[in-house]
Each structure stands twice: as structure tokens, then as C-alpha cells.
Amino acid sequence: MTALREQTVMDAARHFLTQGSPRSVRRYGSGHINDTYLVECARPYILQRLNTEIFHEPLALMKNIESVTLFLREKITAQGGDPDRETLTLIPTQDGSFHYIDGENNFFRMFLFITDAVTYDAARNPEDFYHSAVAFGNFQRLLHDFPSETLTEVIPHFHDTPSRFRDFERAVQEDVMGRAASCAEEIRFLADRRADCGVSVRLQQAGELPLRVTHNDTKLNNIMLDQRTGEAICVIDLDTVMPGLSVNDFGDSIRFGANTAREDEPDASLAGLSLPLYESYVRGFLTGCGGILTPAEVRQLSWGAKLMTYECGMRFLGDYLNGDVYFHTAYPEHNLVRARTQIALVRDMERKWTQMNDIVARYAGQPSTR
Ligand code: ADP
Ligand code: GN1
Ligand code: MG
């Protein structure tokens, strides 16, 4: 999608019912999918242009967010919390809907800006990461009785790893940019692990892993931490909330937050699994879930971590081969660099597999699942 002019963003902001008129807009955050802006009015707001090349049913997606945030709002209020800070709040437009489509078909929506809170691209310490884990676990627990049949699956097969493998294989075969030869080693690494793809999907099909309402994009920068207390207060980026597996929500957090290097660290040898961070997250996630996870789900947590990392590696490398058409990139090799950190992380998880499972077993009070 082409970049927006400031005037276009300002015009869009004026269609929403803000407190006071919009004074300024600026690009904000480091998400890979949508275009996010901070809008200053009498109070701040977040305005986003939804990426409709990726989200083909924007109205259904907005309906998902509307119903999930309403559901969370009621639970948070009942628990004596502050729903304006502990869940996203959609801002209506002048004509009473929650989106605005401009003359160029740009799809906008606005949220209250959550004040005195921050997102991190890397955990500053195990404590931060622990707090984020409690919040993501809590999110799962709060939504355990949400009527999942009312949600639209906004991106079908989102964490269907065998289907991601087939997409990746197609990208390698088509090789539209002529890039495959330059990353033969990475392609081989991913292809060699094909047999792993179906591990979670098979357990789900056999009824051993339940479908729940999950977030599906549980990166550390999709959670807001209170600037004062350091506690995680709000789960954001609800575009991919749909039926899914708890182990994938756990796993994607580990992929992003327990890596010793940034997702796009150019020196992939710095990437690896931090066992102290892994341990913090296991402890926090199990606490946040508050006992709703079944023993089979707990046993599969380490697999969730490995498969989400492996899957994301395939997605980044596939996008590199396809010509960088999906994720935002800042330079031509960006997706390749990202794929390499994911591969390094999978390799390190394979080395640390026993310790990973021992940590889970320790906090779950079960025998190790080596
Ligand atoms: P993307 O889907 O592109 O990742 P996000 O919804 O995650 O977009 O938003 C990008 C960033 O903007 C977040 O990481 C966070 O820093 C910031 N952000 C998003 N929503 C809010 C909000 N309601 N209040 C404050 N900051 C927000
Ligand atoms: C995207 O939107 P963002 O940046 O939070 C992607 C995730 C990937 C992630 C990799 C809708 O997340 O699935 O895991 O990048 N979101 C979508 O960093 O594809
Ligand atoms: Mg995000």
C-alpha cells in the first residue's frame, strides 16, 4: 500500500468523534502490517489505516474487535478495573460507525490512546516479560466463555503450519525475484523440518488440543505496560483474534520476546533462546491462564514456541522470495534478515529442548515431556 500524505491522515482523523479537533498527526509504533498514527487533540488517539491487502474482510474484522472489546469491557468493569486502559476502546465516527473509508478506499479506525503506558520491542528484564505473560494468559482466561462461533476467521489458516509450508514451497518454486539461489541454506533448513509442521494441527484434529478464542499475534509490542508500575495493562492489536490454539499464543510470545536478539538483528549468530526469559514467560502465562489449560495444552507449550518460530521463519523467507509483498520492510534484505534470526532461534531451541520441557514441567507440576 502506498504511503499516505499527512493531509489524508488529518482529513480521516476529522471524521471521528474526538475530544477537540485534531491538531497534529505522526507515524507511530513499529507494527509490520497496519499504518499507525498518533493524533493529538484535546487528548491523544491512535488512528490506523487497516491493511486491506491483507485483511480482505475489514467489516467482519471490525465486528470481531467490537464484540471482543465490549465483552472484555464488561468483565473488566465487573472486576473493578478501568476499561479505558485495560482494553482497546473504539471511537465512533460522525455517522455512528467505527470506521471511515476515504475517497481513495483507505480504511481507517480510531482507538483511545492508552496513556502512561508503553510497548517494548525487547523485554528490558524477565520481570517485564513475566508481566506480559500474565496479561496474555489473562486475556485467554477472560475470553474462555466468549461465543467463538460469532467470530469471523479473518485470515483462514493463519497458524496452520502445514498450509504455511505449502505457501513457502510455492514461493521457492516460483522464485519470482530470482532470490532462491542466494538463500539455499535457509530454504534447506526449513524444508528439512517439514515433518514438524503438523504436530499441533494433528493434536487439534484429534480433539486433544481445544480450539479457544486466541489472540494469534502475541508479540511483546502488542501489549501495553504501565509506565509507573511496569505491569502489563492492556492487550492490543486485536485484528487476528479468532479461534485458535493456546499453545500458539504462548509460542509466538516466546518467538519474539525470549529471543536474545531483535527479530531483525542483522547478525543472526546473536539470536537464541534465553532460558531465564522462557522460564519467566511459562510462569506468567500459567498464572494468567488461571488453571483453564488442559494437561495436553501444557505439555505442548514448548512445541508451540518452536512451531511459531519455524512458521514465522517460513513466512519471512517466503515473503522475501515473493518480493516483500506482505510485511513492511525498510530495506531489500529485511525479510531475509528476519528469517535468519528465526532459523537461529529454532536451532537453539532444538539444542535446549530438554531444558525447555523441564521448565514447563516444573511450573505445571507434571513429569517432564521430553
Ligand atoms: P500492527 O498491526 O501494525 O502491529 P498495532 O495495532 O500493533 O499495529 O499498533 C502499532 C503500535 O502502536 C503498537 O505496538 C503500540 O506501540 C501503538 N499502539 C497501538 N494501539 C495503541 C493504543 N490504543 N494506545 C497506545 N498505543 C497504541
Ligand atoms: C505481524 O502486525 P504485527 O507487526 O503485530 C504479523 C504476525 C507476525 C509478525 C512478525 C496479521 O504482526 O503474524 O508474527 O508480524 N501479523 C499479521 O513480527 O500477519
Ligand atoms: Mg502490532
Side-chain angles (χ1 to χ4, degrees):
M1 300 213 298
T2 47
L4 292 177
R5 286 177 305 115
E6 190 177 320
Q7 195 53 48
T8 307
V9 183
M10 199 58 151
D11 288 345
R14 293 207 179 94
H15 282 79
F16 291 84
L17 286 177
T18 52
Q19 277 176 33
S21 310
R23 287 196 305 262
S24 67
V25 295
R26 69 174 168 88
R27 271 307 279 263
Y28 197 76
S30 55
H32 295 344
I33 304 294
N34 298 313
D35 293 336
T36 303
Y37 300 88
L38 169 65
V39 181
E40 292 289 356
C41 306
R43 57 152 299 150
Y45 295 89
I46 285 285
L47 179 71
Q48 282 181 324
R49 172 172 64 162
L50 191 74
N51 189 330
T52 48
E53 285 169 11
I54 287 177
F55 297 115
H56 298 148
E57 291 189 76
L59 294 177
L61 177 150
M62 290 305 291
K63 191 90 207 92
N64 281 359
I65 297 186
E66 228 183 292
S67 50
V68 165
T69 52
L70 193 68
F71 187 88
L72 290 173
R73 178 166 285 272
E74 280 171 8
K75 286 210 173 175
I76 292 163
T77 308
Q79 290 171 2
D82 175 358
D84 285 353
R85 294 192 81 224
E86 294 171 37
T87 186
L88 286 175
T89 307
L90 282 164
I91 305 296
T93 59
Q94 315 278 0
D95 56 17
S97 72
F98 285 120
H99 67 275
Y100 166 69
I101 304 174
D102 73 7
E104 272 140 37
N105 243 350
N106 293 306
F107 190 106
F108 292 95
R109 42 84 189 288
M110 187 182 262
F111 298 103
L112 271 188
F113 183 90
I114 296 164
T115 49
D116 305 314
V118 276
T119 51
Y120 293 107
D121 286 325
R124 292 171 310 172
N125 50 53
E127 221 28 44
D128 271 358
F129 202 44
Y130 170 81
H131 288 306
S132 77
V134 175
F136 276 125
N138 214 4
F139 183 81
Q140 201 115 129
R141 188 174 50 75
L142 289 176
L143 290 176
H144 86 277
D145 54 348
F146 182 91
S148 60
E149 68 287 355
T150 63
L151 288 175
T152 299
E153 200 179 354
V154 285
I155 303 184
H157 304 289
F158 193 61
H159 285 315
D160 176 343
T161 314
S163 153
R164 294 289 188 182
F165 188 89
R166 289 190 291 276
D167 294 345
F168 171 66
E169 250 184 339
R170 198 174 317 116
V172 174
Q173 272 153 17
E174 291 175 357
D175 192 20
V176 291
M177 305 295 288
R179 289 172 162 175
S182 67
C183 43
E185 205 182 306
E186 289 80 4
I187 293 172
R188 197 171 324 110
F189 181 95
L190 295 168
D192 281 350
R193 282 152 183 79
R194 179 181 201 148
D196 288 350
C197 288
V199 168
S200 297
V201 171
R202 271 197 304 276
L203 287 172
Q204 184 226 317
Q205 285 163 351
E208 287 181 42
L209 292 179
L211 267 187
R212 298 184 181 277
V213 175
T214 49
H215 183 279
N216 295 303
D217 188 6
T218 50
K219 284 158 65 161
L220 186 63
N221 62 19
N222 285 333
I223 203 144
M224 311 246 13
L225 285 97
D226 189 301
Q227 235 159 357
R228 201 171 42 81
T229 63
E231 288 197 11
I233 48 168
C234 183
V235 174
I236 61 170
D237 200 345
L238 303 178
D239 294 332
T240 51
V241 171
M242 30 181 187
L245 299 180
S246 59
V247 297
N248 292 342
D249 268 11
F250 169 86
D252 201 47
S253 290
I254 298 302
R255 174 193 78 72
F256 188 84
N259 194 343
T260 49
R262 291 196 326 262
E263 188 184 68
D264 60 356
E265 165 59 54
D267 180 358
S269 71
L270 298 178
L273 180 75
S274 157
L275 284 172
L277 288 176
Y278 189 76
E279 179 162 351
S280 294
Y281 202 90
V282 168
R283 197 162 55 83
F285 193 71
L286 292 176
T287 303
C289 284
I292 63 159
L293 298 184
T294 65
E297 285 177 296
V298 176
R299 273 198 305 276
Q300 280 305 113
L301 289 177
S302 298
W303 268 107
K306 185 165 139 182
L307 282 185
M308 285 301 97
T309 311
Y310 171 53
E311 181 186 287
C312 204
M314 287 195 285
R315 293 175 65 196
F316 285 143
L317 197 59
D319 198 34
Y320 179 67
L321 296 170
N322 288 336
D324 309 310
V325 290
Y326 189 93
F327 297 105
H328 288 334
T329 50
Y331 56 93
E333 313 276 289
H334 207 163
N335 272 318
L336 176 60
V337 162
R338 289 171 176 150
R340 286 184 174 143
T341 61
Q342 305 308 292
I343 288 172
L345 184 53
V346 170
R347 189 180 278 121
D348 199 41
M349 285 180 184
E350 289 175 349
R351 280 190 217 109
K352 293 176 176 158
W353 195 239
T354 303
Q355 288 111 300
M356 287 169 72
N357 283 313
D358 284 347
I359 288 170
V360 172
R362 186 170 332 130
Y363 288 97
Q366 290 176 16
S368 175
T369 53
R370 280 174 227 178

